[in-house]
Amino acid sequence: MKGSERTLEKLVVKPGEPAHLDRRDPGWDGDAKSKKRADAHARELLASSVVELEEAQARLWSSDRYAVLVIFQALDAAGKDGTIRHVMSGVNPQGVEVTSFKQPSPEELSHDFLWRAAKALPQRGRIAIFNRSYYEEVLAVRVHPEWLERQHLGDGPFADAFWRQRFESINAFERHLHRNGTTVVKLFLHVSKDEQRRRLLARLDDPAKVWKFSADDVAERAHWEEYMSAFEEAITATSTDWAPWFVIPADDKPLMRALVAAVIVDAIDSLKLRAPEVSADQRAANERARRELEAQKPG
């Protein structure tokens, strides 16, 4: 994989332009000459990015000025859980929180569709990971509009204008976050239908992973084209200057994880954070503390 800046530029969906998911190859290998070399390079990049992310998170924490929200969206078996685990392996657990959004509770259904996400937003100095997010409200429920009945929104049909309004609400929500110091990083793990099938079968064949398999995942495959259409429209409508989408090729797990780490590091680096400066009064107090500690040495 050559030229990290060019690579990240290749992954981003430029605001105002179509996502063109059908033109983005889920099996992209980083333009490596061999699979072996590609995996080795991806693992090296991931290892270095994990170290860089640890340092970036320390600057984020110490500055206490900004927060970072990382959103993962994908179809089943794209690798969200494993990617989060590998990429965040070096980060101080005190500085990061992961929220997995499942089926909404009765309380959550009694509020607007952004409410439960707003409750899980990161404090300044912290990173929040959303494993799925409020985007399910323009993805899964668009494929299954009957699920909207539980939200007590009135009678359908829920036409195009309804979804456009939700896109507008999402864009306004994310712009508000950006204006108030939260950097939003949005990642779509783009897996192919053939690779998803292979991974689902692998879960059935591995006793250690069979618990992850759900027959519902196979049922959802029947809606593949509908999901891809929903992703295409949602990503196109909500990739903005303040919260752009990155489409990560997900068929190659080592490369996918390396790319995700690189995107997050780049997002934090763009904040140009530095360690807090120590004032003259603090330096004087530190020097007095030093003399006191030195005077306490044994003997």
Side-chain angles (χ1 to χ4, degrees), residues 259-276:
L259 292 173
V260 165
V263 170
I264 298 174
V265 169
D266 184 71
I268 299 178
D269 284 349
S270 70
L271 299 175
K272 302 187 183 304
L273 300 174
R274 295 180 296 180

Side-chain angles (χ1 to χ4, degrees), residues 23-45:
R23 302 181 190 177
R24 294 175 182 264
D25 181 10
W28 182 64
D29 61 2
D31 297 330
K33 294 183 179 179
S34 71
K35 171 67 174 172
K36 184 176 180 180
R37 289 180 60 182
D39 284 353
H41 184 67
R43 289 189 174 92
E44 290 174 5
L45 178 60

Side-chain angles (χ1 to χ4, degrees), residues 14 19 21 26 38 48 80 96 110 137 179 205-206 224 242 245 247 249 273 290:
K14 294 181 180 179
L21 296 180
S48 63
K80 298 186 302 299
V96 63
S110 296
E137 296 293 333
R179 285 171 169 168
D205 294 336
D206 186 346
W224 182 275
W242 54 90
W245 275 101
V247 179
L273 300 174
R290 175 190 290 277

Side-chain angles (χ1 to χ4, degrees), residues 81 84 88 96-100 127-131:
D81 294 345
I84 293 169
M88 308 307 292
V96 63
E97 296 177 0
V98 179
T99 302
S100 296
I127 299 172
I129 308 290
F130 282 5
N131 186 344

Side-chain angles (χ1 to χ4, degrees), residues 51-69:
V51 173
E52 291 175 11
L53 183 56
E54 181 181 10
E55 296 169 351
Q57 190 268 337
R59 294 195 301 274
L60 182 72
W61 177 274
S62 62
S63 69
D64 197 31
R65 290 184 58 197
Y66 298 98
V68 176
L69 170 62

Side-chain angles (χ1 to χ4, degrees), residues 71 73 133-140 170 174 186 238 245:
I71 293 174
Q73 289 291 158
S133 68
Y134 46 86
Y135 277 96
E136 292 298 304
E137 296 293 333
V138 291
L139 296 169
I170 288 171
E174 292 174 349
K186 300 185 299 194
T238 60
W245 275 101

Side-chain angles (χ1 to χ4, degrees), residues 12-15 184-187 238-246:
V12 74
V13 176
K14 294 181 180 179
V184 183
V185 182
K186 300 185 299 194
L187 306 163
T238 60
S239 193
T240 58
D241 289 328
W242 54 90
W245 275 101
F246 291 83

Side-chain angles (χ1 to χ4, degrees), residues 143-164:
V143 175
H144 298 282
E146 65 275 11
W147 294 352
L148 286 168
E149 294 177 4
R150 296 180 297 165
Q151 297 185 22
H152 309 294
L153 299 175
D155 296 331
F158 298 99
D160 290 345
F162 173 83
W163 304 110
R164 286 197 299 271

